[in-house]
Amino acid sequence: MGDMTNSDFYSKNQRNESSHGGEFGCTMEELRSLMELRGTEAVVKIKETYGDTEAICRRLKTSPVEGLPGTTPDLEKRKQIFGQNFIPPKKPKTFLQLVWEALQDVTLIILEIAAIISLGLSFYHPPGENNEGCATAQGGAEDEGEAEAGWIEGAAILLSVICVVLVTAFNDWSKEKQFRGLQSRIEQEQKFTVVRAGQVVQIPVAEIVVGDIAQIKYGDLLPADGLFIQGNDLKIDESSLTGESDQVRKSVDKDPMLLSGTHVMEGSGRMVVTAVGVNSQTGIIFTLLGAGGEEEEKKDKKAKQQDGAAAMEMQPLKSAEGGDADDKKKANMHKKEKSVLQGKLTKLAVQIGKAGLVMSAITVIILVLYFTVDTFVVNKKPWLPECTPVYVQYFVKFFIIGVTVLVVAVPEGLPLAVTISLAYSVKKMMKDNNLVRHLDACETMGNATAICSDKTGTLTTNRMTVVQAYVGDVHYREVPDPSSINAKTMELLVNAIAINSAYTTKILSPEKEGALPRQVGNKTECGLLGFVLDLKQNYEPVRSQMPEEKLYKVYTFNSVRKSMSTVIKMPDESFRMYSKGASEIVLKKCCKILSGAGEPRVFRPRDRDEMVKKVIEPMACDGLRTICVAYRDFPSNPEPDWDNENDILSDLTCICVVGIEDPVRPEVPEAIRKCQRAGITVRMVTGDNINTARAIAIKCGIIHPGEDFLCLEGKEFNRRIRNEKGEIEQERIDKIWPKLRVLARSSPTDKHTLVKGIIDSTHTEQRQVVAVTGDGTNDGPALKKADVGFAMGIAGTDVAKEASDIILTDDNFSSIVKAVMWGRNVYDSISKFLQFQLTVNVVAVIVAFTGACITQDSPLKAVQMLWVNLIMDTFASLALATEPPTETLLLRKPYGRNKPLISRTMMKNILGHAVYQLTLIFTLLFVGEKMFQIDSGRNAPLHSPPSEHYTIIFNTFVMMQLFNEINARKIHGERNVFDGIFRNPIFCTIVLGTFAIQIVIVQFGGKPFSCSPLQLDQWMWCIFIGLGELVWGQVIATIPTSRLKFLKEAGRLTQKEEIPEEELNEDVEEIDHAERELRRGQILWFRGLNRIQTQIRVVKAFRSSLYEGLEKPESRTSIHNFMAHPEFRIEDSQPHIPLIDDTDLEEDAALKQNSSPPSSLNKNNSAIDSGINLTTDTSKSATSSSPGSPIHSLETSL
């Protein structure tokens, strides 16, 4: 089904419809056109056509309360008529296409041409072949058989080219396959809550069918289109479809349209699914984007053949093959992200390639000149026409030697090594609970210098339990005995907790005997429900008496309110509202409190301050999260104005305050210690109160008492980083972040500001690389901004996962440490490979070059070179790139972003080993025949049989490479190169395998490999010289690197090249014209931005005020990334994200009324008081809280 093109898919559905149309009250077409309407139009259309949403449910044969019956035949029928909820992915490239792509390599093409010419010439025997006049007779007669075998060299070159191509293609193919597997795994893990046969069940997103009743809540990414049936306070971010950043409020009577791919930002409710897969709004867009030009032409032809009307109807959809969100990412993935590492490597490869090209050109020129001068000038031979073919053969031979030099010089194994290393790491990281979504995130993680982590669920277990309570004027240190609590209070308490929490939150019996009860839904609410059960009460009867449909109004929890309230209608028509939330926020709104007798008594501000001191702070210092539960009664007449939240949420009566404990995960302190040892600062950013946060930070080891660090609250943090105008200043952030360890009571915006501030900071000589963990919808911007975003696999919302680079499948902080280890390992693997590869390159090029100049013939033949290239490149990249990481990686500080790939130590190793190898090879080349008493192989004529002499050189060369491969396992100058070698079976296999193949080549390779069999003693010598490599390695390790100042490092990325230029012209064949135009547009747009920036800098110089908003949105690793994520773009470039303004204004207003300075001014900074006591000027910050758009401020400043 997946490979079916959409056109068939649609035409099939059309046929189905005509026959099945009668079974359901509406067809797919009708529903699809209905979903294209918005707001009031949609409401009108529903009224006219169907009556109301209930009627649509009836027509779709579903019940708004019970859901679908969920029987298999019914579901199958729905899938057949309305389609399935998945979008058929683009076809992957076939193996042949990949082979074709591998063949596009320039060096390979040159080799192929050379080989074909060589083949052609070997079959052509000119008449002047045996003419004495031609310059063939250069010592040694030719056997007849040997002359016949002239074709072998060409054939062997072609064969080895085929080998290289197949290996490359196979690698690409397996990478693609792995990637698809990964992608489908991410997709299968996405589940959604629906109601079937009255039961709430979670099913995979692909199983959702039209007519399903889906439960939606804060943080969901809607999986299909639907109509809103009931719910409260639902706000949706539709920017992914409409580009409008404002949240859209949904209600049954005003705007019931819910569209797939949009994010629920607030509230909860139920919807009936009306369109899935390719028929949903997102699906339609994807089918339009779907495929490239060729498919469009094919489809258009098909469309024209169909009958007119239907064809017109279907054309926009038929134009493409569809590909879901992840697919679009996939296509981009290969195009966009070029990580720091790849940037450095591309640069290096280009430099080496250029050098190789020059060397090979010089080789060819010298050979040709030497030959012509020798033949026609020194020996004064005439150019005989019948000799021409013979001379041409010589020239071809020279050309082939030149090409071989080039082939060996170009490290085509580099990209391969990176790919293998990353792919291998990603695969292994799955076992360590890291699901990597963007390959390069894995390697960026190795450079991380800071981690901003959430507290709940990441550092703690996220199993909330109430351990202390303050009820009826008594502070209980453990859960109170039910009999000690007044019956009235108890009833209120149970009702307040049971009704005023999401009905999807439940406590279920444990799966195994003796295990803890399972907590489903919001963990804090689970803690409260657990408290009800601990009081020997039950919340189920309360809920069944007051089902969700009967709740009068719900104010759901969000990051601004920090509380949740539910209004119910009492039997006597009056209203009662239950509220719960962060204790310091809810207590501010309480004016009464229940006494021991269960009667409300007055609760004055000074009682509140006393309660904070006596109850809340001690709880918080034990690391508990404090929650206050309260209620308020309203008269039935006049009905209160429910939209005026400030009036409604006041005059509350406090029922109780509970302290909820969320224990620290046992493995976290150790993981954090490892991070700190590895030079990574861990900061905790949490919404909890500052005392709780500090207590937990100390338990985790993020802060150690007596150190110089900062713990700030969000409000205080904002005050310190903003100037008088309320704008964020980078210099101010720079004063704070190096010491900041805990940011408490922080809004999502604060998190984003902090991450952006650390990344943009020029305070340290290396740019900071920041990793962020997040689980909530509101963490999206921070996750995107960070260099590496970790989303929680279990607790995380879809939005967070969408914005992240790596998903932690077990939500555990210690998995992040594993990611750091793997990231550093990738970097080291590449360096190991480089060290090995470059040694071989240097030696092979110099040998071929000098050999050719002195003896007219490269001691290493073309085919031998290709074999060496194959083992060096492909096998070595496999062997060295799959080294497993060790704990020692965590003992060093992170490499910076512009640390060169090849350090001094590595340069020392490369040159040292090259010297050893060259010395031995040249010794063998010029005096080898005397040492071994064999015929000299120098100056042999064309097509002469292979000599033992040159075979020994080839064999020694390969042996030295094999042993040097073991040396290359260590790059920091360690002595023991065998350390942990048996932990890597791939490495051992490859070394032994290469050795075995080498024996076969030498003993039985014969003419194609230009080898003649060697005796045992000669073999022993070759191996002995190879072993010398290991000894020599120890000698090199003794030389201190610090002495060798002259060694240059290579492969460094300077700041300017953070966006490498190759970026723009790479992969051009994959991009169609429209895209190319788009990119050009982007580049121009960036230039424009840069220009504006320069102008602004000039202006800034004149006016020292700093408009932070116009700092160019830091595009992560490439330009395209900036454009690729429209959702967060708007917020990124504006100095203020609306969230913070509203809260600031409200709080400032509150401050002015209370006319007392903010409670947490500086008393919470346990270690540092910033000497100067900053006074808060509330009036100013309230007025200039939002200075409009950056452009506006630009005009005024100009």
Side-chain angles (χ1 to χ4, degrees), residues 174-223:
S174 59
K175 184 181 95 186
E176 179 82 7
K177 189 159 150 273
Q178 259 181 11
F179 198 79
R180 296 243 157 194
L182 200 84
Q183 220 48 49
S184 62
R185 187 176 149 172
I186 294 180
E187 278 154 28
Q188 279 156 14
E189 282 184 352
Q190 280 189 322
K191 289 204 161 42
F192 210 79
T193 318
V194 297
V195 181
R196 283 197 178 163
Q199 292 294 316
V200 177
V201 288
Q202 290 222 325
I203 57 168
V205 168
E207 294 294 309
I208 294 178
V209 293
V210 170
D212 257 326
I213 303 295
Q215 292 206 342
I216 50 179
K217 59 178 188 317
Y218 163 78
D220 284 342
L221 179 70
L222 298 184

Side-chain angles (χ1 to χ4, degrees), residues 46 132 199 334 552 590 703 839 959:
I46 293 173
E132 284 305 307
Q199 292 294 316
H334 302 308
Y552 194 78
C590 290
I703 51 184
T839 315
M959 288 302 127

